[in-house]
Amino acid sequence: GNGILSNSIDTVSRLFTTAGLYDVKLVATNGIGCKDSITRSVNIVAFATSINGPDSICAGSSASFSYTSNTTISSSTWRDGLLPNPANNVASFSRTYNTPGNYSITLNVNYGSCSDQITKTLVVKPRPSVSWRVDGDSVSCSAPLEVRFINTSTSPGGMFYNWSFGPSGATDIVQQPRYLYQTAGNFTVSLTVRNSFNCSATLTRANTVRIQA
């Protein structure tokens, strides 16, 4: 059926790389030159199953994976290298990945007469570790009060900062900021750090700055 001949007198195997209907013909010749033949059709079906899910996430995030197939799947098994293993024979699963690295998402499927293994790589990128403190006093009996903030955040790759000091519109993007509070009140301060992997983390402290009226 694919134009390949074989002179094997017993059995023969052949790899079919393209789906389709192939006629396989056997011609037998005896010792006095008499011939007979028989033809059988072989139907090669192309099963196509793919994994749906993200290529990358930030550490601490959840990822969901599912499959799409052009035929009915009799049974399936998901594996991602972590325990506990996802349940068998489910169309999808989700997991939170806390440790950066590359994870091989593997789906073993059985179609009844055939089986296949599909693999997808998930890259879990590192998040920054956010840390900051106040240098000096953050409590005062009256305004104005200038407060200095010490940023000790760490992360692989470069870091970008976004401070919020409490009053409306009071922000800054420098690493070690100072802010002058000119009104009384209790102020919540937060720092969001984004790294070069486009992963971010935030540390917020309520009532960090307290100024009496």
Side-chain angles (χ1 to χ4, degrees), residues 70-91:
N70 66 349
T71 190
T72 301
I73 292 178
S74 301
S75 62
S76 63
T77 302
W78 292 98
R79 294 292 182 267
D80 63 355
L82 299 180
L83 295 175
N85 289 319
N88 293 337
N89 300 319
V90 294

Side-chain angles (χ1 to χ4, degrees), residues 156-208:
M159 289 184 286
F160 308 89
Y161 310 103
N162 189 353
W163 289 89
S164 175
F165 300 115
S168 178
T171 61
D172 206 339
I173 59 172
V174 300
Q175 182 178 5
Q176 312 289 356
R178 295 174 182 265
Y179 183 74
L180 180 64
Y181 291 85
Q182 300 187 27
T183 59
N186 295 333
F187 300 99
T188 295
V189 178
S190 68
L191 168 63
T192 298
V193 179
R194 178 173 57 87
N195 61 19
S196 55
F197 298 98
N198 203 29
C199 294
S200 62
T202 300
L203 176 58
T204 300
R205 293 194 175 108
N207 300 322
T208 299

Side-chain angles (χ1 to χ4, degrees), residues 1-2 4 14-23 42-47:
N2 58 3
I4 299 176
R14 188 67 59 200
L15 175 64
F16 293 88
T17 59
T18 304
L21 187 64
Y22 296 86
D23 289 331
V42 177
N43 187 21
I44 305 299
V45 180
F47 295 132

